[in-house]
Amino acid sequence: MGPLVSNSRTCMKHLCTWVVNPLYLRPALAGLPQHNMLAVRFIINPNTQLYSTKGDKQAELYSQVTKEKGFTPRTRPAFPKSVFAAGTAKKTAEYMKKRAGIDTEELSNNTPASGRGYLKVALPDHPLTTSEWAKLKEGSSKSERFEMQMMERLLSANADVNIAKSLLAYVVQDKGTLSYELLLRYLTLCVTAGHHSEVFDTYDIMRTCFKTLETGASSLFIKGFSQTERWREALGLLEGLKKALLPSARNYGDAITGAVLHGDIETGWKLYDELLEQGIESHQSTWQCLFQSGITQRGQEDKLFSVLSYMRDNQIYPEVLLIKTIKAWFESLPDQKWSGKFSCVAPSGECKTCKASLESIQLTEEEYAQLKDEVMKKVIEGSDIFNKTTPEELKCFKAFVKQRPPFDIVIDGLNVANTTPKATHSETLLAVVSELERQGLNILVLGRKHMLQPSRNWDRQNMNKIKQKSHCFFTENMSEDDPFLLYAALHSGVHCNFLSRDLMRDHKACLPDRATRRLFFKWQRGHQLVISNYAPGKRVRFQRISAYDTIVQTAGSSWHIPYDENGDRATYEVPQKWLCLTQEH
Amino acid sequence: MVFDVMFLRSCSLAVRRICSRAPVQTLLRSASTSQTTGRDEEEEKLDLDVWKAVMKTQALPENRSDPSPSPLDFHRELVEMWHQAGKLVPKSITDEQLQDLAALTTKSAKKKFLKFLAIKEAHKITKKEKRENKPRPERNTDGEERELRNTFLMKFWSGSMDRLLNWRVAQAMRFGQPLVYDMSYEQHMTRRELENAVSQLMETEGFNRRSSDPFHLHFCGLKPGGAFHREILKRYGAETWERMLITDTASQPADLFPREDLVYLTADSHTVLRKFDHRKVYVVGAIVDRSIQSGVSLANAKRLQLATARLPLDEHLNWDCGAKNLTLDQMIRILSTVKDTGSWKAALEFVPKRKHCGFHSMRTGKTQSVRNESTAPKNKTDGHKRVRERKTWWEEEG
């Protein structure tokens, strides 16, 4: 065993550098352990050399794939259910990080302890007198912003409010006045620690000493006031905020919390309606507060159900705290005997607790037509048709699709061909096409024209076989093939699926509004096939398509609400956990 | 307590009497120091709320003079208070800027705009300070004593230089190789981007004028009265613009030159410009693209059915981070150098250093360069490190 074996990770890193120059291959081969033989076989194989004659995008694509997927087939993680399941992206990212090595961890660890203008003096633990503060200030290196930095440190250390007050007393004696900025910091300290009387005093002072309050102070006062008897004044501050800027969801949330806490449910809902009108999405804590109030105070059922349907319409998933409150609220409803259980859903779309089946993921006819139209208009044509294709090509493609019977499956040829580095592109594609043909499906393969030019990766005979087994359309090398894929799949009808590893996020971003994007995502979840763990020679297997829609839903006597368990869900993923609510009769 | 009351009274008096703050400070200082020296340590009582009393004496008079404040006033107040709160906003703001601010719809857009103004303001102030601090050259003292020297040449004034350069550019306009800037991207740019584009164009023209063998610059698709034209006139001045030795036209490049001679340079192109051709007419898109609109110039070239090419950046440089599109002035520096010397290595010196970590070493040759590209570090931060690592590995194994 050579020195390379002991350090097999670096060896992996440099494997691809050997490919070009066989000189470096020979000594290394002798020392390679058995489990690396697979990788080595791949390297010696002349068909898969990494450079291409043209050195163009093709080579780039290839290198990317090898970087991501190559060389360590054993340890590659098996994706759990689907690429859209919550947490998949995070797991993949962690795995990639681990493979990238330790150096990234080192980088993140040695963050400097001291930022800019870090004070060296110790934080006092009791209120100081003026002279003591003066002494402390002399001891610090940067004295011009001494009080500001000291206040910030007191805030971050959650220090006693009296220390901050003594600092203010010192500053006022030293300078004769207090700056707005310093008072703002002090106010933050008071609000976070909940010193209400101090908040009131500071409010009176700031109100009189300065022309207006800016957004930061107003927000803090809204937050501070909403917890006290003077919560109505927070509403006035909210009005003041509106003059120059739109108040944030947090501002509204604080005001609503204030109203609801003090029993004025009507004002709370009025503010909530206003929030919706502005097009702001509420924070989860605001909803939690509203549901909480629903437990103690009756008569809000309609409103709270409308919140649930808002979540449904906007594809929002509650987090753990909120879902617990929702469950408690349902169970507190009198005479309805709701019982809630946290549950999962079987792949068939059946809730594991109540055995009811969930809503199907299929789109309605109108939705389907609308989505097809939008994809054509926004994704393919866009603002400039030349961006993705040319008018002639588009015409040609439309005619092509019209002439053929509806397809059962549309394949993104280049994406599928790049699935594994262990076989040439055309071999992989042929294997996939043959497997699907065996199932008796009508197939469309989309690709680019360069695939037709015989090369190492694109064997002519394989390509001919693919052409016999399926319909093929090859776009110009400069055009994008994904939009055509989407259109062909949508054009063929509800039964048609498509095969690609691409998550289509850039195409989703082309769509004009959130509603259409949600529609697209729903269709994508129901129709996208992804190849799972493919190895050449083995049978091609696909990841499961979900049969049910992950969305807040009801069937009269039952509710099913998906929720986020922990915060590692990517935006293109959906949660796997459900709250199942059923009524006992 | 008696002291406190006294102290407060004195300071409130002081505040009322003198509005400026500096005298107050001295007053307070003297009062407090005299008191502490006169008393024992134990008697120096902590009054935590003294600041409240002091601040209350400084209350602004209750005169809400403006009965019907406009949205502009609210914005002015907002900027003023944000400044006091220590946010990154300008100290003073003009009415025009305020109107621009009020026209922005989202909070983040307003914040960004104010930050931009604040940075601009800070630059202005530092520049002014520098100018003031610079020692003035003394002129009048040596005027009489200086004797006329016997010189071979008269002083070479910058005007003479200008004449020389203009002569060269005039030559280029008759016999030089054309270089086209496609100005048809007005609608793709925001105001800021357009202003930046014009700055880069001015830089371009300046470099071209100074080079030993200038291009004949064409500004094609420049609509008279369009945003581009207006901004150019504003920056150059109408008179200077008229005397500029470049060709500006509203027509497309394909109308001026034979289609087969034109090569559209765009970073999205699939073909690489391996050799600079002195007979071709290169077209550069005059666009600054801060937002994400990939492939705009490629789409334009496709529409005009022109050949496209990209600079051989990957072929010569170990690219590290940053977009492959370069600024307009960098483009002319590169093109002009490669035209004069024929060496990409010399030309690509003008690619910003932060974007790459050095040239591919010469001995590795062509195939190697493709390989290097494939193993180029994905992690942006340790790009330099990896290159070093690889080198040592080569040496060990070789």
Side-chain angles (χ1 to χ4, degrees):
Chain A
M1 299 261 164
L4 277 167
V5 183
S6 59
N7 194 1
S8 70
R9 203 180 56 76
T10 33
C11 148
M12 288 300 180
K13 204 151 106 193
H14 296 296
L15 272 179
C16 32
T17 49
W18 300 349
V19 177
V20 181
N21 198 339
L23 195 74
Y24 296 104
L25 209 60
R26 243 171 280 129
L29 258 180
L32 275 172
Q34 199 57 39
H35 67 266
N36 274 348
M37 277 319 278
L38 192 72
V40 174
R41 210 175 303 135
F42 154 64
I43 286 161
I44 311 170
N45 186 351
N47 289 340
T48 50
Q49 289 201 348
L50 280 176
Y51 58 89
S52 76
T53 42
K54 283 185 182 165
D56 58 4
K57 206 173 177 182
Q58 199 182 323
E60 221 173 274
L61 270 177
Y62 200 97
S63 69
Q64 252 173 28
V65 170
T66 43
K67 229 181 289 167
E68 282 164 13
K69 295 268 165 182
F71 304 137
T72 46
R74 300 280 156 80
T75 49
R76 202 164 74 185
F79 293 122
K81 284 161 200 144
S82 121
V83 277
F84 302 117
T88 312
K90 197 183 176 194
K91 262 181 220 157
T92 323
E94 270 167 11
Y95 172 73
M96 291 295 181
K97 214 189 271 172
K98 219 163 77 191
R99 276 197 44 194
I102 314 137
D103 35 305
T104 47
E105 281 163 37
E106 279 169 10
L107 272 177
S108 60
N109 278 346
N110 55 20
T111 43
S114 57
R116 208 176 104 237
Y118 177 70
L119 286 177
K120 286 194 188 84
V121 290
L123 210 59
D125 57 350
H126 60 92
L128 301 183
T129 59
T130 325
S131 48
E132 282 169 326
W133 276 117
K135 220 180 283 166
L136 205 58
K137 184 174 176 177
E138 271 167 31
S140 75
S141 52
K142 270 190 160 185
S143 51
E144 67 269 21
R145 278 177 71 83
F146 167 79
E147 62 266 11
M148 217 68 80
Q149 284 167 353
M150 190 48 89
M151 193 60 99
E152 254 168 31
R153 284 183 62 200
L154 288 174
L155 176 61
S156 61
N158 256 335
D160 182 31
V161 71
N162 284 334
I163 306 173
K165 275 165 125 182
S166 76
L167 177 63
L168 289 183
Y170 158 69
V171 174
V172 88
Q173 294 212 4
D174 192 31
K175 296 197 171 157
T177 186
L178 295 174
S179 70
Y180 185 85
E181 198 178 354
L182 188 62
L183 277 174
L184 197 62
R185 300 272 152 79
Y186 174 67
L187 181 64
T188 320
L189 187 113
C190 294
V191 170
T192 45
H195 299 291
H196 300 314
S197 64
E198 278 307 307
V199 174
F200 295 149
D201 286 352
T202 317
Y203 177 69
D204 294 336
I205 287 167
M206 287 180 88
R207 201 81 244 213
T208 49
C209 289
F210 301 100
K211 264 206 292 198
T212 48
L213 300 174
E214 49 80 63
T215 47
S218 304
S219 306
L220 282 168
F221 281 128
I222 291 173
K223 189 172 178 187
F225 280 154
S226 66
Q227 289 156 7
T228 67
E229 288 305 311
R230 284 168 72 177
W231 64 272
R232 273 182 202 282
E233 286 177 48
L235 305 183
L237 281 164
L238 194 65
E239 285 302 313
L241 263 184
K242 278 183 211 160
K243 283 169 190 162
L245 288 171
L246 209 61
S248 66
R250 179 80 59 206
N251 294 151
Y252 272 112
D254 287 334
I256 292 171
T257 315
V260 168
L261 273 183
H262 296 89
D264 192 346
I265 307 288
E266 268 175 46
T267 314
W269 284 112
K270 211 176 81 198
L271 284 170
Y272 179 73
D273 289 340
E274 203 177 297
L275 171 91
L276 289 188
E277 262 173 49
Q278 311 270 21
I280 311 169
E281 189 178 294
S282 160
H283 280 288
Q284 300 240 343
S285 56
T286 312
W287 283 321
Q288 198 194 334
C289 177
L290 289 170
F291 276 103
Q292 197 76 53
S293 80
I295 296 175
T296 51
Q297 215 161 338
R298 292 291 133 220
Q300 306 179 57
E301 281 75 18
D302 291 349
K303 279 284 190 182
L304 287 172
F305 278 122
S306 82
V307 169
L308 287 176
S309 74
Y310 174 83
M311 285 182 193
R312 176 189 165 83
D313 293 342
N314 292 283
Q315 210 180 335
I316 296 164
Y317 306 114
E319 281 157 18
V320 175
L321 283 176
L322 177 56
I323 200 75
K324 280 183 181 156
T325 317
I326 291 176
K327 181 169 171 271
W329 175 70
F330 266 103
E331 285 168 349
S332 80
L333 286 176
D335 322 323
Q336 295 190 15
K337 288 182 185 163
W338 287 97
S339 82
K341 285 197 184 68
F342 295 113
S343 121
C344 298
V345 173
S348 58
E350 190 178 77
C351 172
K352 284 190 178 161
T353 312
C354 67
K355 307 290 175 208
S357 56
L358 298 187
E359 268 179 52
S360 155
I361 198 151
Q362 299 302 340
L363 272 59
T364 64
E365 281 297 318
E366 300 92 73
E367 284 174 336
Y368 207 82
Q370 187 202 341
L371 183 63
K372 192 172 123 187
D373 193 45
E374 291 283 357
V375 166
M376 190 68 200
K377 254 197 240 145
K378 301 289 176 186
V379 180
I380 300 182
E381 289 172 9
S383 56
D384 186 355
I385 194 168
F386 285 96
N387 265 337
K388 302 215 164 132
T389 171
T390 57
E392 297 84 48
E393 193 177 42
L394 185 61
K395 218 167 105 190
C396 188
F397 178 71
K398 275 183 175 168
F400 171 87
V401 172
K402 208 173 262 176
Q403 278 163 20
R404 309 232 172 0
F407 306 107
D408 298 316
I409 187 156
V410 184
I411 298 176
D412 184 350
L414 280 169
N415 189 295
V416 166
N418 269 316
T419 306
T420 172
K422 282 170 262 161
T424 63
H425 290 172
S426 55
E427 277 169 20
T428 315
L429 189 56
L430 181 61
V432 173
V433 169
S434 316
E435 165 66 26
L436 290 168
E437 195 223 7
R438 206 166 29 239
Q439 297 176 16
L441 299 174
N442 187 20
I443 308 166
L444 169 65
V445 175
L446 278 167
R448 293 214 180 95
K449 287 214 167 122
H450 71 74
M451 293 159 70
L452 293 174
Q453 279 170 353
S455 67
R456 252 185 235 102
N457 266 321
W458 300 105
D459 184 60
R460 193 204 302 264
Q461 280 162 7
N462 284 345
M463 288 311 285
N464 283 339
K465 277 184 210 158
I466 290 170
K467 276 194 224 166
Q468 280 164 19
K469 287 171 196 279
S470 65
H471 301 283
C472 292
F473 186 84
F474 296 96
T475 63
E476 294 292 331
N477 293 342
M478 268 216 275
S479 302
E480 286 197 36
D481 48 0
D482 290 344
F484 291 113
L485 168 96
L486 297 178
Y487 183 76
L490 281 165
H491 185 87
S492 298
V494 191
H495 67 283
C496 180
N497 295 329
F498 66 99
L499 182 64
S500 173
R501 260 184 320 171
D502 197 331
L503 292 164
M504 308 276 166
R505 280 173 287 178
D506 43 346
H507 306 299
K508 196 159 66 175
C510 292
L511 295 169
D513 51 35
R514 291 176 66 186
T516 325
R517 268 176 235 167
R518 280 195 297 275
L519 213 57
F520 180 86
F521 186 44
K522 185 176 172 183
W523 173 75
Q524 188 188 3
R525 272 181 289 148
H527 291 88
Q528 179 162 13
L529 284 168
V530 179
I531 297 176
S532 68
N533 290 347
Y534 171 71
K538 290 214 182 122
R539 215 182 137 177
V540 187
R541 281 166 52 206
F542 303 101
Q543 274 170 22
R544 195 180 291 139
I545 286 186
S546 92
Y548 58 95
D549 193 9
T550 307
I551 200 165
V552 179
Q553 50 195 275
T554 178
S557 65
S558 74
W559 275 86
H560 284 93
I561 305 172
Y563 68 96
D564 275 330
E565 201 174 21
N566 37 24
D568 55 5
R569 183 172 63 88
T571 47
Y572 56 87
E573 295 172 343
V574 290
Q576 302 296 299
K577 296 277 177 175
W578 291 76
L579 170 66
C580 165
L581 291 153
T582 46
Q583 240 171 342
E584 292 158 23
H585 293 289
Chain B
M1 267 304 132
V2 180
F3 156 64
D4 283 324
V5 174
M6 292 278 289
F7 165 72
L8 280 178
R9 195 167 293 158
S10 74
C11 88
S12 65
L13 273 175
V15 170
R16 248 173 250 161
R17 214 180 296 146
I18 321 151
C19 281
S20 68
R21 254 135 215 189
V24 180
Q25 193 180 336
T26 52
L27 261 177
L28 287 169
R29 271 252 178 82
S30 62
S32 63
T33 46
S34 68
Q35 288 300 334
T36 40
T37 46
R39 281 156 184 261
D40 287 330
E41 286 261 331
E42 296 144 32
E43 278 181 86
E44 190 192 31
K45 251 192 82 188
L46 268 176
D47 184 3
L48 295 172
D49 290 333
V50 66
W51 57 276
K52 287 181 189 167
V54 173
M55 289 306 286
K56 271 172 192 158
T57 60
Q58 297 184 358
L60 290 174
E62 278 291 324
N63 58 335
R64 298 271 178 256
S65 55
D66 218 352
S68 58
S70 68
L72 229 54
D73 292 328
F74 288 124
H75 278 95
R76 195 193 305 279
E77 277 174 0
L78 182 81
V79 175
E80 203 176 300
M81 291 320 288
W82 270 358
H83 180 71
Q84 285 205 30
K87 293 197 177 179
L88 196 55
V89 296
K91 229 177 265 162
S92 56
I93 187 164
T94 65
D95 281 351
E96 200 181 329
Q97 288 166 342
L98 264 181
Q99 267 165 8
D100 289 343
L101 179 70
L104 296 171
T105 46
T106 62
K107 195 171 172 180
S108 60
K110 284 179 188 184
K111 275 185 182 165
K112 261 185 211 162
F113 181 61
L114 287 173
K115 186 183 170 190
F116 165 71
L117 291 181
I119 291 171
K120 225 166 95 171
E121 191 181 49
H123 280 314
K124 218 174 183 176
I125 290 170
T126 44
K127 225 181 198 173
K128 204 175 164 193
E129 272 173 6
K130 255 186 202 164
R131 207 168 44 222
E132 277 167 4
N133 290 342
K134 211 160 67 179
R136 290 217 180 112
E138 290 172 27
R139 212 169 264 188
N140 46 3
T141 51
D142 60 337
E144 294 165 28
E145 294 159 25
R146 200 179 62 187
E147 55 184 88
L148 290 171
R149 259 185 276 158
N150 188 10
T151 58
F152 163 55
L153 282 171
M154 301 277 281
K155 182 170 165 59
F156 191 75
W157 298 98
S158 59
S160 333
M161 191 65 192
D162 285 343
R163 260 198 304 280
L164 176 71
L165 293 179
N166 279 337
W167 171 249
R168 260 196 219 147
V169 184
Q171 290 281 323
M173 283 196 72
R174 293 215 46 198
F175 311 111
Q177 183 180 4
L179 179 67
V180 178
Y181 278 82
D182 182 5
M183 316 283 276
S184 55
Y185 297 102
E186 266 172 32
Q187 73 279 13
H188 290 284
M189 285 188 275
T190 62
R191 206 180 108 193
R192 281 272 294 287
E193 289 170 342
L194 193 93
E195 283 169 10
N196 292 351
V198 172
S199 299
Q200 292 180 11
L201 284 172
M202 290 175 75
E203 193 89 1
T204 302
E205 189 273 325
F207 181 83
N208 189 53
R209 183 151 34 93
R210 283 174 188 79
S211 65
S212 53
D213 181 18
F215 283 104
H216 176 194
L217 288 185
H218 286 74
F219 285 4
C220 280
L222 185 64
K223 285 187 219 94
F228 240 134
H229 194 232
R230 260 182 288 138
E231 186 67 25
I232 286 174
L233 282 184
K234 193 174 125 196
R235 299 287 281 275
Y236 274 109
E239 204 183 323
T240 324
W241 177 242
E242 276 309 307
R243 284 193 281 113
M244 204 56 70
L245 292 174
I246 47 183
T247 306
D248 65 305
T249 162
S251 51
Q252 290 296 321
D255 304 334
L256 299 178
F257 303 100
R259 203 176 284 277
E260 59 275 12
D261 280 357
L262 288 164
V263 178
Y264 210 112
L265 293 178
T266 160
D268 294 319
S269 174
H270 288 228
T271 44
V272 184
L273 186 69
R274 296 220 176 262
K275 225 175 140 252
F276 186 87
D277 191 336
H278 294 269
R279 281 159 301 174
K280 294 277 187 198
V281 178
Y282 292 101
V283 187
V284 180
I287 179 171
V288 172
D289 177 22
R290 280 170 186 270
S291 56
I292 26 164
Q293 328 164 26
S294 55
V296 173
S297 56
L298 186 68
N300 206 13
K302 261 157 98 181
R303 188 188 352 265
L304 301 172
Q305 294 170 333
L306 301 179
T308 61
R310 64 174 173 85
L311 293 183
L313 298 176
D314 284 331
E315 284 68 17
H316 292 272
L317 297 170
N318 275 318
W319 201 262
D320 191 15
C321 64
K324 300 266 168 69
N325 50 5
L326 302 173
T327 61
L328 302 177
D329 53 304
Q330 284 158 13
M331 280 305 282
I332 194 160
R333 277 161 221 259
I334 290 169
L335 290 174
S336 171
T337 313
V338 78
K339 182 171 78 135
D340 295 346
T341 63
S343 142
W344 281 112
K345 193 167 178 350
L348 295 180
E349 283 296 328
F350 291 107
V351 177
K353 294 282 179 290
R354 65 170 190 282
K355 288 192 174 184
H356 63 88
C357 38
F359 286 82
H360 293 313
S361 49
M362 292 311 283
R363 64 195 163 100
T364 49
K366 206 181 195 177
T367 46
Q368 213 90 353
S369 78
V370 175
R371 179 193 54 82
N372 276 354
E373 192 185 328
S374 67
T375 55
K378 215 172 189 186
N379 197 339
K380 283 167 191 168
T381 46
D382 59 0
H384 295 268
K385 212 170 85 194
R386 289 244 185 115
V387 170
R388 222 181 302 129
E389 255 178 39
R390 190 160 57 217
K391 254 183 202 150
T392 54
W393 183 80
W394 277 110
E395 277 153 24
E396 274 166 26
E397 290 299 306

